[in-house]
Amino acid sequence: MILVPIQILRGVAALMVVWHHARHEAELLAQRGSPALDPGTLLPWWGGVDLFFVISGFVIVLASGALSGVPGGRVRFLAHRIARVVPLYWLVSLLYLVLALARPDVLGEAAALVHDPAALLASFLFWPAARPDGTIQPLYGLGWTLNYEAFFYGLFAAGLGLGRRGAVVWLVAALALLVTAGTVRPDLPLPLRFWANPIVLEFAAGAGLALAYQSGVRPAVPMRAGLAGLGLLGLILAARLLADLGEADGFLRPLLVGMPAALLVASALGPGRDAAQVARLPAPIRVLAMLGDASYAIYLVHPFALRLAREILVRIGAASALHLYGAMVLMLTASVVAALVVHRFVELPLTRRVRRILDPGTA
């Protein structure tokens, strides 16, 4: 069964991150002669990551039902996660490595990792490691979120033998204990210090919503509309409160952005649909759901597409004519188109092939 509203939220989360980075590209265009323009702070666009984390917690718990408490369940769960996450991430990381070797002058601190084999290996193994400037990021900077995702998968897999409810209780307790330890002891070793960031509580929120959904919680349509309105209002207020701070740190992030994200996910807890029912939905709904299917590719591919589109606009002299809003929309469109192509012709075939290798019994 497919939860179409969840798929749409995945697409929204990806587009929020793309828009956030498109604003940065627009600032670079302004520095190169295009009319200056403040794209505004209606929403904390970087909060698309927080929405992703809540959705991830929800989807992983929901999708693991058949593997909970069964022999070999942990191994199959991890095999499926590896097949889903690793191939495309390794591919874009390798591309980034080639760029770092060819043009280290344009990649800043990331290029320095090519001379640090341990940090480079950590980048591909989803292990938190520091760059020379102290920033805890892998070679491909966006991978910091996947370092949290991989940790979440491993932690959840450890509790799968306890059944779905037991696994969620284990997950929430472990994350709460880890965050508490990080708060009391900020000098924890690097990996633990990274994973103890309160942002991980957003996975717990999503997992809790999945447990509620599996228990039969289905908010009525008016309630779901109210939850969606509250979530959106919460994000708008967060953008106002954080306008002078930038991205929130510590507990502010899950409180101001993670909680509204959880409300949005809660608003999506409606009835599931099969593929035939989805095919009969109005075209705009199906397009939005398709963006959700490609959300991982959108997230990983968009930096390449944004920068390529920006350079093309500059070189053909179209940036000034489009103005920055137009340039941002064009860059976002280029990112989505590129990601849809990568999703269809690269991500899906790679995922299927690796999944068949790691789990030969899979369909």
Side-chain angles (χ1 to χ4, degrees), residues 175-197:
L175 290 177
L177 181 62
L178 182 60
V179 171
T180 301
T183 303
V184 175
R185 291 288 306 273
D187 58 342
L188 288 172
L190 175 55
L192 290 177
R193 187 168 73 249
F194 178 82
W195 294 323
N197 190 310

Side-chain angles (χ1 to χ4, degrees), residues 9-48:
L9 282 179
R10 288 174 65 183
V12 168
L15 293 179
M16 286 176 67
V17 175
V18 178
W19 190 255
H20 172 59
H21 291 143
R23 293 178 64 196
H24 173 69
E25 300 299 330
E27 292 171 0
L28 294 178
L29 282 176
Q31 293 172 11
R32 295 168 72 165
S34 298
L37 179 68
D38 178 10
T41 54
L42 175 63
L43 296 174
W45 302 109
W46 45 266

Side-chain angles (χ1 to χ4, degrees), residues 80-308:
H80 295 176
R81 288 297 89 207
I82 290 170
R84 178 71 179 88
V85 172
V86 170
L88 187 59
Y89 178 65
W90 278 10
L91 192 62
V92 296
S93 293
L94 285 171
L95 178 57
Y96 205 76
L97 177 58
V98 170
L99 290 174
L101 292 170
R103 291 293 305 276
D105 55 306
V106 300
L107 296 184
E109 288 291 332
L113 291 184
V114 302
H115 305 296
D116 186 342
L120 196 59
L121 181 62
S123 294
F124 284 88
L125 296 180
F126 305 96
W127 190 262
R131 292 182 175 182
D133 66 350
T135 305
I136 304 174
Q137 278 190 333
L139 173 69
Y140 190 50
L142 289 182
W144 72 268
T145 64
L146 298 179
N147 287 352
Y148 282 118
E149 289 276 358
F151 174 69
F152 163 57
Y153 298 155
L155 198 61
F156 182 70
L160 268 179
L162 303 173
R164 180 180 294 168
R165 185 178 297 275
V168 172
V169 171
W170 149 257
L171 174 73
V172 173
L175 290 177
L177 181 62
L178 182 60
V179 171
T180 301
T183 303
V184 175
R185 291 288 306 273
D187 58 342
L188 288 172
L190 175 55
L192 290 177
R193 187 168 73 249
F194 178 82
W195 294 323
N197 190 310
I199 198 173
V200 298
L201 297 175
E202 295 168 356
F203 292 115
L209 287 172
L211 202 58
Y213 187 76
Q214 282 297 311
S215 299
V217 174
R218 302 288 189 280
V221 172
M223 174 67 77
R224 290 169 58 196
L227 290 170
L230 286 174
L232 182 58
L233 179 61
L235 290 178
I236 292 172
L237 291 175
R240 298 294 181 269
L241 291 171
L242 297 170
D244 297 328
L245 298 177
E247 296 186 22
D249 293 323
F251 285 96
L252 274 181
R253 183 157 187 165
L255 285 173
L256 295 181
V257 183
M259 287 183 65
L263 289 173
L264 289 175
V265 174
S267 75
L269 304 187
R273 292 178 169 87
D274 59 29
Q277 291 172 321
V278 172
R280 292 193 294 268
L281 291 173
I285 301 293
R286 285 187 279 114
V287 169
L288 290 173
M290 180 178 65
L291 292 180
D293 291 337
S295 58
Y296 187 53
I298 293 173
Y299 180 72
L300 288 179
V301 169
H302 80 267
F304 297 97
L306 285 178
R307 292 171 190 179
L308 179 60

